Amino acid sequence: MDAQLKRGILEIGVLKVLTRGDSYGYQIIKDLSGVLQISESTLYPILKRLEGSGCVSVYSAQHNGRLRKYYAITPEGEAKIRDFLGEWQEIDRIYTFIKEGIEQ
């Protein structure tokens, strides 16, 4: 898969997980594991980009005596999901066009 396309899909996957509620890195990886494979070394730069673009907010909270960093989706993040879904319809039309008449 094209690296840029995969990066965009991973970002949307992370945002989708956060629509279920605030979460932390390990749990996000676990929640995505059935659909997308993502490592910590890939996740944290994505979270940093999403934070920088205003799509997620970050806060720390105590968990078992240690601070844990939590991520929450923002209205900008929800809008990014909606934009992606709109763009995906266009990608699907292009895919269908390309696939027509080509044997697999």
Side-chain angles (χ1 to χ4, degrees):
M1 180 182 290
D2 176 74
Q4 291 290 42
L5 179 59
K6 186 171 183 177
R7 179 179 137 189
I9 290 171
L10 288 172
E11 285 183 0
I12 297 302
V14 169
L15 290 171
K16 173 56 184 165
V17 166
L18 295 176
T19 64
R20 299 174 183 166
D22 300 357
S23 194
Y24 54 96
Y26 177 76
Q27 187 63 49
I28 293 169
I29 290 170
K30 196 170 157 186
D31 290 343
L32 282 173
S33 68
V35 180
L36 295 167
Q37 295 305 310
I38 188 169
S39 65
E40 286 184 32
S41 62
T42 301
L43 176 64
Y44 288 105
I46 288 171
L47 288 168
K48 194 72 163 163
R49 276 195 307 276
L50 290 171
E51 179 185 9
S53 65
C55 291
V56 299
S57 60
V58 182
Y59 64 93
S60 295
Q62 287 277 348
H63 178 77
N64 291 335
R66 299 176 59 195
L67 278 181
R68 177 180 279 170
K69 202 179 233 188
Y70 285 86
Y71 300 87
I73 193 168
T74 65
E76 291 86 354
E78 292 171 351
K80 186 174 178 96
I81 292 173
R82 286 190 300 276
D83 291 345
F84 172 83
L85 291 173
E87 291 169 0
W88 194 257
Q89 291 172 355
E90 181 179 353
I91 291 169
D92 186 48
R93 284 192 303 274
I94 294 166
Y95 172 83
T96 300
F97 169 75
I98 292 168
K99 185 178 172 186
E100 287 175 3
I102 296 177
E103 293 184 29
Q104 294 183 357

